[in-house]
Amino acid sequence: MKKISILLLFITSILSAQKKEFKYSLSGIEKVVLASGTKIVLTAGNTSELVLTDNKKVRKNHSAHENHQKEKADKRKGLTAVYPNGRDNSNGFGFSITKEDAILYVTDLKSMYQRSGINLTLPKSINISVNAGSLGSVSLEGFTGEVEVATNTGKIEMKNVTGPITANTSVGEINVDFDKVSQTSPITISSSVSEIDVAIPANTKADLELRTQGTVYTNFDFDTPKKKGLPNVSGNKSINSKLNNGGVKIYIKSSMGNIYLRKK
């Protein structure tokens, strides 16, 4: 019985930690621009709203945590939070939401020390631009629109995307798994230090440029660069080739890390 009670308390803690939610209608919005310095998880859904959830860490001592939160709420009663980067208009959620024409700007007003990560659900076809700041990371799945992601030290992970994709990080790893590759705009994926791992369908039409001081590993068959009929075996750290007679430009660059290009 004691074990069951502990389990119920644990489940209650999880539900309590995830129940805070903010929704915003995306009617007329074509692009969402998000800035937050925490762990960002984006999920594509059959929705016409932005659904934002702040996932807090589950506390071991639930009662003590609740009491602490109640004390904090009592101290804030009658007062309004003020942030340097804007006004909280997300019902106390700590975000500034502003609209300019068909673009929605979503700015996290809290520091990374005040959050344990955020989850967003957005329409799968909407265009997205995400900046995770100095220490944040980005994970997203299932989007068919244009995706732009920037981090500094954090990892970038994308699954079941179509592009166009622009992903850039200074230190973090990048893993991108394409469901298919859009031919509408170039794809650029770059990391200054770490490895880049990209998987694309075998029938993808592409003009490839792979540039690294490390090593390129692939199971695609493409020609190495040649000059006057001879293969270039040194002095050139860039590989240019075509997949399936050429198509959209795919540029992958890691200054120091290896590049993995996988056939699906």
Side-chain angles (χ1 to χ4, degrees):
M1 185 64 185
K2 185 177 179 180
K3 290 183 178 179
I4 295 175
S5 298
I6 293 174
L7 178 61
L8 289 174
L9 178 60
F10 178 72
I11 294 173
T12 302
S13 299
I14 294 175
L15 293 175
S16 176
Q18 294 183 336
K19 68 181 181 181
K20 190 173 182 181
E21 190 175 270
F22 174 76
K23 294 184 177 180
Y24 189 95
S25 173
L26 294 176
S27 176
I29 298 297
E30 297 176 359
K31 183 175 184 177
V32 173
V33 178
L34 169 67
S36 175
T38 187
K39 179 181 179 181
I40 302 168
V41 178
L42 297 164
T43 304
N46 296 319
T47 176
S48 59
E49 295 178 312
L50 175 151
V51 182
L52 180 58
T53 307
D54 186 359
N55 278 339
K56 297 180 179 178
K57 291 180 180 177
V58 177
R59 309 288 178 172
K60 292 182 180 179
N61 190 336
H62 185 66
S63 297
H65 173 63
E66 281 192 338
N67 290 336
H68 181 59
Q69 292 299 316
K70 185 175 183 304
E71 289 177 3
K72 289 172 64 177
D74 289 342
K75 293 184 71 173
R76 292 194 295 255
K77 191 173 182 179
L79 305 177
T80 301
V82 178
Y83 299 93
N85 295 323
R87 183 173 63 88
D88 180 358
N89 56 359
S90 60
N91 195 27
F93 210 74
F95 278 79
S96 170
I97 313 286
T98 58
K99 179 181 175 182
E100 293 183 14
D101 299 324
I103 301 177
L104 187 73
Y105 293 90
V106 182
T107 304
D108 193 348
L109 302 174
K110 295 185 176 182
S111 73
M112 61 166 293
Y113 304 106
Q114 296 173 296
R115 295 196 191 275
S116 299
I118 57 172
N119 288 353
L120 283 89
T121 301
L122 295 166
K124 64 184 300 184
S125 61
I126 201 162
N127 299 321
I128 303 167
S129 178
V130 185
N131 189 327
S134 296
L135 300 176
S137 62
V138 179
S139 175
L140 61 87
E141 182 170 2
F143 289 97
T144 59
E146 184 172 352
V147 177
E148 303 169 355
V149 175
T151 70
N152 186 13
T153 61
K155 190 174 184 178
I156 298 175
E157 290 188 308
M158 302 186 194
K159 295 180 181 178
N160 300 328
V161 293
T162 64
I165 298 292
T166 302
N168 180 57
T169 178
S170 297
V171 180
E173 295 180 13
I174 302 179
N175 297 317
V176 183
D177 188 330
F178 284 88
D179 189 33
K180 64 178 183 180
V181 176
S182 170
Q183 297 288 315
T184 58
S185 296
I187 291 168
T188 302
I189 302 171
S190 65
S191 175
S192 298
V193 176
S194 296
E195 296 181 342
I196 299 174
D197 196 318
V198 177
I200 60 177
N203 61 355
T204 299
K205 295 180 177 294
D207 290 344
L208 283 177
E209 182 176 354
L210 311 176
R211 179 179 290 270
T212 179
Q213 296 291 330
T215 302
V216 175
Y217 296 92
T218 185
N219 52 356
F220 278 100
D221 295 323
F222 50 76
D223 295 331
T224 55
K226 294 181 180 179
K227 188 174 184 180
K228 296 182 179 179
L230 300 174
N232 190 335
V233 296
S234 65
N236 191 341
K237 300 299 182 183
S238 180
I239 296 174
N240 296 275
S241 190
K242 294 182 182 294
L243 294 181
N244 301 304
N245 298 318
V248 69
K249 174 77 174 183
I250 298 179
Y251 177 58
I252 304 175
K253 176 187 176 183
S254 177
S255 299
M256 298 174 65
N258 293 336
I259 293 175
Y260 303 88
L261 181 64
R262 305 178 190 275
K263 183 193 299 183
K264 293 177 62 180

